[in-house]
């Protein structure tokens, strides 16, 4: 727990101006290629989404919990049984994010204004302990800033856009250890004959209802 507490303290101390300068030095503009929203080599898209973010997406879309998020597959057996931690955005039959669609030969997020932190900040993450991994391999590092594989890297970004992205990235880097600490505090092992998801609010069934 000390390492998570240290991670949280370090995240709160992050300097937004320094983050923005690092982002500008790398450069980024979304090309709407869809690579970060779609299945990769047969592996279904996996993006972490937290309970509050799920409820936001529910409110925006009118969907039930299972149509927004699925149990994070790591730790589950081939039948989807067992204990796992946190949730992943739901996917369609092809393994793409359920909120992704093709639009005039480019990708489009249908919940763009309400998308989770991990989507808002891609292709960037911060090495504060990597509480939640970002998709895609790291291709560059600028101080604590990790840059993940993305065709949009190296494109011009305005100072205001870089600062807004830096603010969101700092907020994400605070929320992740907060969530992890709450998971640790509420975790109790369960003899799971079905699927049990442990998140910051306790143990839940696969449909998001409390166990």
């Amino acid at each position: 727990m000390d390492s998570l507490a240290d991670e949280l303290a370090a995240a709160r101390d992050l300097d937004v101006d320094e983050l923005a300068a690092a982002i500008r030095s790398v450069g980024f503009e979304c090309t709407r290629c869809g690579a970060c929203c779609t299945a990769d080599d047969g592996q279904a898209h996996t993006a972490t989404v937290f309970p509050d973010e799920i409820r936001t997406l529910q409110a925006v879309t009118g969907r039930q919990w299972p149509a927004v998020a699925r149990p994070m597959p790591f730790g589950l057996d081939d039948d989807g049984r067992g204990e796992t931690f946190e949730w992943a955005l739901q996917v369609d039959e092809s393994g793409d994010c359920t909120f992704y669609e093709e639009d005039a030969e480019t990708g489009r997020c249908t919940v763009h204004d309400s998308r989770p932190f991990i989507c808002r900040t891609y292709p960037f993450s911060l090495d504060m302990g990597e509480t939640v991994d970002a998709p895609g391999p790291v291709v560059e590092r600028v101080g604590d800033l990790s840059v993940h594989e993305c065709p949009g890297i190296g494109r011009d970004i305005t100072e205001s856009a870089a600062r807004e992205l830096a603010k969101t990235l700092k907020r994400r880097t605070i929320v992740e250890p907060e969530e992890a600490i709450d998971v640790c505090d509420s975790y109790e092992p369960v003899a799971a004959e079905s699927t049990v998801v442990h998140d910051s609010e306790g143990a839940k069934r696969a449909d998001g209802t409390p166990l």
Side-chain angles (χ1 to χ4, degrees):
M1 183 63 69
D2 287 345
S3 61
L4 284 172
D6 291 344
E7 184 179 336
L8 178 56
R12 287 172 173 162
D13 286 340
L14 285 166
D15 187 299
V16 169
D17 290 333
E18 289 182 3
L19 278 179
I23 289 169
R24 288 206 77 190
S25 73
V26 174
F28 171 70
E29 181 183 23
C30 180
T31 64
R32 295 179 62 187
C33 68
C36 61
C37 307
T38 53
D40 181 23
D41 291 332
Q43 289 290 112
H45 175 264
T46 304
T48 303
V49 59
F50 298 128
D52 284 348
E53 295 176 318
I54 296 171
R55 279 187 283 269
T56 295
L57 291 170
Q58 283 185 277
V60 167
T61 63
R63 297 187 187 186
Q64 296 298 310
W65 188 290
V68 172
R70 63 192 176 104
M72 188 64 73
F74 311 124
L76 303 180
D77 64 20
D78 292 340
D79 295 320
R81 293 191 298 260
E83 292 182 277
T84 189
F85 296 88
E86 294 298 356
W87 302 86
L89 286 172
Q90 187 56 274
V91 294
D92 60 22
E93 292 181 355
S94 64
D96 298 346
C97 176
T98 186
F99 299 113
Y100 174 80
E101 64 180 32
E102 295 290 335
D103 178 22
E105 298 183 355
T106 59
R108 186 175 84 90
C109 174
T110 59
V111 291
H112 188 267
D113 291 341
S114 303
R115 66 200 189 282
F117 279 123
I118 195 169
C119 304
R120 288 178 180 273
T121 55
Y122 193 81
F124 301 105
S125 66
L126 285 164
D127 292 337
M128 313 302 292
E130 291 291 338
T131 308
V132 177
D133 290 332
V138 174
V139 295
E140 186 177 351
R141 295 186 191 274
V142 181
D144 291 330
L145 184 72
S146 291
V147 186
H148 299 261
E149 190 174 68
C150 175
I153 295 169
R155 294 170 177 261
D156 289 340
I157 183 170
T158 65
E159 184 175 349
S160 60
R163 182 170 176 78
E164 191 61 33
L165 181 51
K167 288 166 60 178
T168 305
L169 185 56
K170 176 175 179 175
R171 182 60 189 148
R172 170 191 165 189
T173 310
I174 291 171
V175 167
E176 289 177 350
E178 286 179 336
E179 288 280 334
I181 288 169
D182 287 344
V183 170
C184 292
D185 287 345
S186 64
Y187 176 71
E188 292 184 8
V190 177
E193 296 182 0
S194 56
T195 306
V196 177
V197 182
H198 298 277
D199 63 27
S200 57
E201 299 172 346
K204 292 189 175 83
R205 301 178 181 89
D207 63 0
T209 56
L211 191 64

